[in-house]
Amino acid sequence: MRLRCIGFTQTGNTPSRTHSEYIGNLIPFITPGDIFDGKINYENQALSVQGKEVARVCRANSILQVCIGSSIGKAAISNREVAFSQQINAITPILCDSRYIYSVMTSANLIEVMKEAAGGTATPIINKGRWDSLVIPLPPLAEQKRIVA
C-alpha cells in the first residue's frame, strides 16, 4: 500500500528565525541532527505558541524520516507532539502500528528505494510526492503487532 494511504503525511517547515517570538519552550523543534540511532533529541530547540502556529506539527507516535542528503532514511518515532524542519517528512499512521511502519521504513530495502528515488544529484532529496508513493507491505493489524513483537 502507498505510504500516503496509511496515514497523514507532511513535510516540515522552519519558522523564520527573524521572528524571535517564534522561539520558546512550548514544543520541541526537530531537525535531522536531532534524529540518531532511532531516537529523537527533544532538547536542542523549541518553539513558542506563536512559533507553533506557523510550524508544521505532528502528533505523538508519528514517524519522522530524514529526506535529504547522506542521512536519507534516518528515522524515529516521536513520543510527543513535535514541530520539524523541511528536511524531514512525517507520517502519523491511522489504524496501523507505528512500530511496524517504522520497522518497514527503516529497512535496508526501503532505504535503498528511497535513495534511488532521490536521484544522483550533489544533494539527494526525496520529495514528498515520491515519499508518499513509497509502497509499504501492510498485513492486518494483529500481524503487524506480532511482527513487531
Side-chain angles (χ1 to χ4, degrees), residues 3-138:
L3 194 60
R4 68 177 168 263
C5 297
I6 62 172
F8 175 69
T9 63
Q10 57 185 326
T11 297
N13 70 333
T14 300
S16 174
R17 297 195 186 279
T18 61
H19 293 275
S20 60
E21 68 272 17
Y22 293 166
I23 308 304
N25 59 7
L26 177 71
I27 185 171
F29 180 75
I30 308 303
T31 65
D34 297 320
I35 299 172
F36 183 76
D37 201 23
K39 295 180 179 32
I40 298 173
N41 178 354
Y42 297 97
E43 305 301 321
N44 279 337
Q45 301 176 63
L47 302 178
S48 65
V49 171
Q50 296 92 334
K52 181 181 177 184
E53 289 173 2
V54 297
R56 301 244 171 81
V57 175
C58 64
R59 297 186 337 210
N61 293 314
S62 296
I63 298 135
L64 282 73
Q65 189 165 47
V66 178
C67 59
I68 190 169
S70 61
S71 296
I72 283 180
K74 189 168 71 162
I77 300 173
S78 64
N79 67 10
R80 62 191 81 169
E81 183 181 61
V82 297
F84 53 103
S85 78
Q86 65 274 11
Q87 293 129 342
I88 297 172
N89 288 330
I91 181 167
T92 305
I94 300 170
L95 301 175
C96 301
D97 187 303
S98 291
R99 296 166 304 154
Y100 169 78
I101 301 302
Y102 168 80
S103 67
V104 172
M105 292 178 69
T106 57
S107 69
N109 182 50
L110 195 69
I111 290 174
E112 185 60 34
V113 169
M114 287 178 64
K115 288 179 178 179
E116 288 173 12
T121 62
T123 305
I125 183 168
I126 182 164
N127 66 36
K128 184 174 174 290
R130 286 185 176 165
W131 191 76
D132 278 350
S133 295
L134 293 172
V135 177
I136 303 289
L138 194 64

